[in-house]
Amino acid sequence: MANSDSGESIIARFVRILSAFDDRHQTMSVAELGRRTGLPVTTTYRMVNELLLERLLEREPGGEVHIGTRMWELVSRGSKMVGLREAALPFMEDVQSVVQHATTLGILDSDEVLYIERIGTHSTVVDISKIAGRLPLHATSSGLILLAHSPAAYQDVILARPLTKYTDTTLTEPAVLRRHLADIRQRGFAAMPGVIVPETTGIAVPVFGPDNTAVAALSVIVPRTEEHTAARVPVLMAGARGVSRALGWRGELKGTVRQSQ
Amino acid sequence: MANSDSGESIIARFVRILSAFDDRHQTMSVAELGRRTGLPVTTTYRMVNELLLERLLEREPGGEVHIGTRMWELVSRGSKMVGLREAALPFMEDVQSVVQHATTLGILDSDEVLYIERIGTHSTVVDISKIAGRLPLHATSSGLILLAHSPAAYQDVILARPLTKYTDTTLTEPAVLRRHLADIRQRGFAAMPGVIVPETTGIAVPVFGPDNTAVAALSVIVPRTEEHTAARVPVLMAGARGVSRALGWRGELKGTVRQSQ
DNA sequence: ACGGCGATTACCATTGAACGGGAATCACGA
DNA sequence: TCGTGATTCCCGTTCAATGGTAATCGCCGT
């Protein structure tokens, strides 16, 4: 695909470069970037310069580089994420104002939950969901909601894999999980106490798109000591219906998750 | 830079492809993408396939493509925008809840205002700011705030350019603008009635970063019939100070805009 | 001032990935 | 059935990309 010894395409290398940046390393020297990506020095510098030309990367006064404004702009303008986020945000705020704990919006991507948005306090509760962060399907309430509304064939694939047991309440038995999924699908919500972090409980409900598939999961993360699940589910559901309607949803029947890869 | 007849690098073509997607065209067939980018057919298909491999683009059931989740994820995770947005959002909500009109957060980028975030009703007021949208510096309250806190040399550059007169209240005279900028800088806010759309007034205040430079502008857009500028400025200022502090700002002195490019 | 070390830039011969025209194939509606 | 457009396949040409080596810059400690 490319001229490189390793047989990588430029695009692949570009992804490697982008991947080198995360919330912990949003800016770094080109040399460090080279080390993190494992690319040859010269190649790193050449590519960085090309990317700087297009403003996909930007150079700081000190010489360090970070992901460019242009990059964010192009992606935000053309991506469907922003639309989903914008549709959901007002309702998330409503939910958040009532529940008073972290509220998140997640989608199913590459067999994981990808969190699109999250609002609410950062510190009151131990919670590891962050924007653009990923968590496994079987160990989060959002993941279980998304899985529950997925085609059976897809569920089978996921359940057939080795499932990490994060805490002693994490479900890893395919048969048990399958029963849970049926439950979740029928009741319309997933409440999972401490499946990934012992101290917290996640409660999630599905958000539907126009084609009646579950496109996202709306969830709240509350301390396990004050779950009040029964009281909180209706709030979440109302919010999720609001989001669904904002997305053009009209129906009533339960649907299946739209797969993205 | 590349092997193409046009002498374009792959990166440049990649940008062309990304640019082909916007809020009006978030998904399209590969053929249409080829037409919009002006790239040769074969090249378009080859590149699209490469991008699909890396999940920078995604293919829909119908065969159309759109910007991939991976793309959004990589950028959101590594970009500083998200941090700024997250810091600002709670305060923007406070402002919005009081003002009850569109509230926006914009930064200075490439001699324009780039809107990072906006919340509030979509329909009550004619307003053209949208997330990842751009507007000129001299014709928006946010732009004037950012400009007012920029180095004099930069102001000169901008004011020396031909400035479009959108409405009859749009200021285009360098001398007049310069006086306004001084005013704005001193008072700490910019209130511009109908400079770009006759029916609305924008009110903006600066957000400062740790180094005491103005990193963003917080603004509200209200119908011109109910400005209440005097009453609204304090709310905005309180919000902006909150954001500034969340960003690590401590100082009190007025600073200058941090340039990006 | 000097010396050492890492970051950055400059140079350059090699080569295979990228290129794109053209034709075949597929998809779908008339 | 035909026609139009989207998509894939094929393939010879070529120069952009590659990455090693070496020079240069910049900073810190002595």
Side-chain angles (χ1 to χ4, degrees), chain B residues 152-169:
Chain B
Y154 180 70
Q155 296 181 4
D156 294 342
V157 174
I158 296 299
L159 296 183
R161 297 187 183 173
L163 304 173
T164 309
K165 195 166 181 66
Y166 293 92
T167 71
D168 41 337
T169 53

Side-chain angles (χ1 to χ4, degrees), chain A residues 21 52 58 72 118 210:
Chain A
F21 296 93
L52 286 172
E58 275 167 19
W72 178 88
R118 75 157 270 160

Side-chain angles (χ1 to χ4, degrees), chain B residues 1-3 9-10 29-31 35 41-42 45:
Chain B
M1 274 260 180
N3 211 5
S9 69
I10 300 189
S29 73
V30 183
R35 262 177 273 121
V41 222
T42 311
Y45 280 95

